[in-house]
Amino acid sequence: MCDTCGCGQPNDEVTIRKPGDEKHHEHKHTHEHEHEQDHEHEHEYQSHSHERTIELQTDILQKNNLIAERNRGYFEAKNIFVLNMVSSPGSGKTSLLERTIKELGNKINFFVIEGDQQTMNDANRIKAVGAPVVQINTGNGCHLDANMISRAVKELDAENNSVMMIENVGNLICPSLFDLGEAKRVVIISTTEGDDKPIKYPTMFASSHLCIINKTDLLPYVDFDIEKTKQYALQVNHHLEFIQLSVKTGEGMKVWYDWLRNSMKNK
Amino acid sequence: MHEMSIALNIIDIAHEEALRANAKKINEIEIEIGTISGVEISALEFSLDIAVKNTFLENAQRKIIPVQAKAECLECNSIFSLTTFYEPCPNCQSLTINILQGKELRIKSINID
């Protein structure tokens, strides 16, 4: 069933493909495979019971969280350091990944999972810089969930002792609720956005470990106050770390690479 | 619109629990949603209205109970209610706070026949 409107249109199915697989539309799995019982199933009951209340106290996201923990266990066993990269559309997530893979790819094995509603564009960009990649197209869905990652990871077959970067769907709201099994969550904000974003979308900033402020080369031309952004973000999450950089000019990229290497060691 | 995902999860869990209890129908479901959980109760109601069609929850009464967010100040140990993630402690104005509750997304109970 579609995440957005609840309809059952086949177009809304999540697809997971590698670049070059565009023509194949055979989906081994659909959303429905999770349900052991059909919703429309008629039940016959021999006896009727009395009215009663069952105390559940069940976490609504327990299924997602359970699969996320399974993913986490898989990553830990294979010593794969996993980042969940979240941001608004257009903050420069894919460009950051491209440059990082180009400049560190000879020292670190990178694997990438791309999440977008539609198109293979981002996966093609990542493939072009030489990292193995799978693209998740969420159809109408607005976020990646742990089950999509579990499926994508099987396609990707990442090596031991590597780094996996998951580029989430460009959206500062919905992905914040869904644990994917990552080691760290990285929120990216760019200087062309409003500097009050951390308090406008606090859930995402509250659940992230690192905040990357991108496009610092544009600071002379925009009304973006970096110190104000940091202040707002720290109000929401006093554990948050910051790195400011420009993917375009390369300024600050070394700090990001150092963070990456240190986090891999200390995870 | 992640509320639809939340609605579908609620329906799945209620369905499984009802089958496990050999229930004929679900009369009522109680859901607790934290006020800073990231889920809008009105959007969740809207999603549930659509998603419950032809499910165990179609005719069930829904009680959605907001759980007021509370935090503890790490400087002066005051406990206070908050409406956002970024409210200073009303006692000492510190922003170094620890959220105690308000992120809940929970099915509290179901009443079945």
Side-chain angles (χ1 to χ4, degrees):
Chain A
M1 203 188 278
C2 158
D3 260 5
T4 305
C5 63
C7 73
Q9 283 182 37
N11 291 355
D12 304 326
E13 274 179 14
V14 173
T15 61
I16 296 177
R17 288 173 290 172
K18 289 180 179 167
D21 287 349
E22 277 95 319
K23 291 194 179 84
H24 303 291
H25 278 267
E26 298 158 40
H27 307 297
K28 283 181 214 149
H29 318 272
T30 64
H31 273 312
E32 283 73 29
H33 81 278
E34 275 178 49
H35 308 280
E36 282 161 32
Q37 294 90 5
D38 199 2
H39 280 307
E40 281 77 33
H41 189 68
E42 295 283 330
H43 306 281
E44 285 175 31
Y45 300 93
Q46 283 104 17
S47 64
H48 54 83
S49 45
H50 299 294
E51 180 186 340
R52 59 206 190 274
T53 299
I54 307 175
E55 285 295 325
L56 294 177
Q57 301 291 353
T58 305
D59 187 336
I60 294 168
L61 289 173
Q62 63 165 8
K63 261 191 188 159
N64 184 75
N65 294 342
L66 197 68
I67 299 170
E69 287 304 337
R70 284 180 54 187
N71 291 346
R72 194 165 276 120
Y74 170 85
F75 296 139
E76 277 176 20
K78 289 178 69 78
N79 195 29
I80 303 171
F81 180 60
V82 182
L83 297 174
N84 180 4
M85 321 279 285
V86 292
S87 82
S88 322
S91 67
K93 288 190 295 298
T94 315
S95 305
L96 176 68
L97 263 51
E98 276 177 317
R99 183 153 188 160
T100 305
I101 292 162
K102 264 191 221 159
E103 295 184 344
L104 285 192
N106 56 350
K107 298 188 192 89
I108 298 172
N109 280 337
F110 287 104
F111 291 83
V112 177
I113 296 174
E114 283 288 340
D116 283 298
Q117 282 201 320
Q118 302 290 342
T119 84
M120 296 289 288
N121 292 356
D122 282 1
N124 290 332
R125 283 171 63 183
I126 297 299
K127 194 190 171 200
V129 292
V133 58
V134 286
Q135 176 82 49
I136 301 176
N137 284 138
T138 55
N140 281 335
C142 49
H143 57 265
L144 298 179
D145 64 33
N147 193 41
M148 295 178 199
I149 298 304
S150 166
R151 288 166 54 194
V153 156
K154 284 169 194 139
E155 292 286 322
L156 200 51
D157 197 18
E159 288 168 25
N160 292 356
N161 311 312
S162 58
V163 171
M164 186 180 295
M165 297 196 282
I166 302 170
E167 186 182 333
N168 217 313
V169 178
N171 178 339
L172 265 186
I173 308 166
C174 313
S176 68
L177 287 183
F178 295 85
D179 184 8
L180 305 179
E182 70 266 22
K184 301 269 184 196
R185 191 174 285 187
V186 180
V187 60
I188 297 140
I189 176 172
S190 63
T191 59
T192 51
E193 301 169 47
D195 46 25
D196 56 354
K197 243 178 195 172
I199 52 169
K200 276 186 173 164
Y201 301 97
T203 318
M204 191 62 94
F205 287 84
S207 63
S208 293
H209 301 92
L210 173 70
C211 174
I212 290 178
I213 304 173
N214 187 22
K215 306 188 191 177
T216 51
D217 53 303
L218 295 178
L219 277 172
Y221 314 105
V222 292
D223 295 325
F224 185 91
D225 185 338
I226 284 199
E227 287 314 309
K228 214 170 167 185
T229 301
K230 287 185 184 174
Q231 222 174 25
Y232 283 142
L234 284 172
Q235 283 179 29
V236 175
N237 175 358
H238 56 264
H239 297 295
L240 198 60
E241 296 178 71
F242 297 92
I243 294 173
Q244 48 200 69
L245 53 80
S246 164
V247 173
K248 198 173 176 70
T249 66
E251 182 196 4
M253 289 297 284
K254 194 185 166 297
V255 186
W256 155 239
Y257 297 151
D258 289 344
W259 182 91
L260 199 56
R261 288 197 197 93
N262 284 333
S263 306
M264 283 170 69
K265 268 184 243 153
N266 303 325
K267 68 174 186 294
Chain B
M1 192 49 182
H2 51 284
E3 281 81 2
M4 184 53 87
S5 299
I6 302 294
L8 295 177
N9 275 295
I10 290 172
I11 291 165
D12 278 351
I13 294 166
H15 182 88
E16 280 168 19
E17 294 295 339
L19 285 185
R20 189 174 300 160
N22 212 13
K24 220 186 306 171
K25 60 174 185 152
I26 300 179
N27 303 314
E28 188 187 81
I29 181 163
E30 279 188 309
I31 303 163
E32 289 180 324
I33 304 290
T35 54
I36 55 169
S37 65
V39 168
E40 255 330 297
I41 289 181
S42 57
L44 178 61
E45 290 270 22
F46 176 76
S47 303
L48 279 169
D49 283 345
I50 301 162
V52 295
K53 299 256 157 64
N54 301 319
T55 76
F56 249 118
L57 285 180
E58 182 160 12
N59 298 310
Q61 285 280 325
R62 294 198 299 262
K63 254 196 214 162
I64 302 189
I65 307 154
V67 179
Q68 176 60 51
K70 280 194 179 142
E72 179 186 24
C73 175
L74 298 181
E75 302 290 337
C76 74
N77 299 324
S78 311
I79 291 176
F80 56 98
S81 295
L82 64 173
T83 49
T84 62
F85 273 100
Y86 47 90
E87 276 172 28
C89 166
N91 185 38
C92 72
Q93 310 310 316
S94 166
L95 282 161
T96 318
I97 60 170
N98 185 24
I99 309 249
L100 299 174
Q101 63 173 58
K103 294 181 183 173
E104 293 76 3
L105 294 173
R106 207 158 49 200
I107 300 182
K108 189 165 177 277
S109 66
I110 50 174
N111 180 285
I112 55 173
D113 256 321

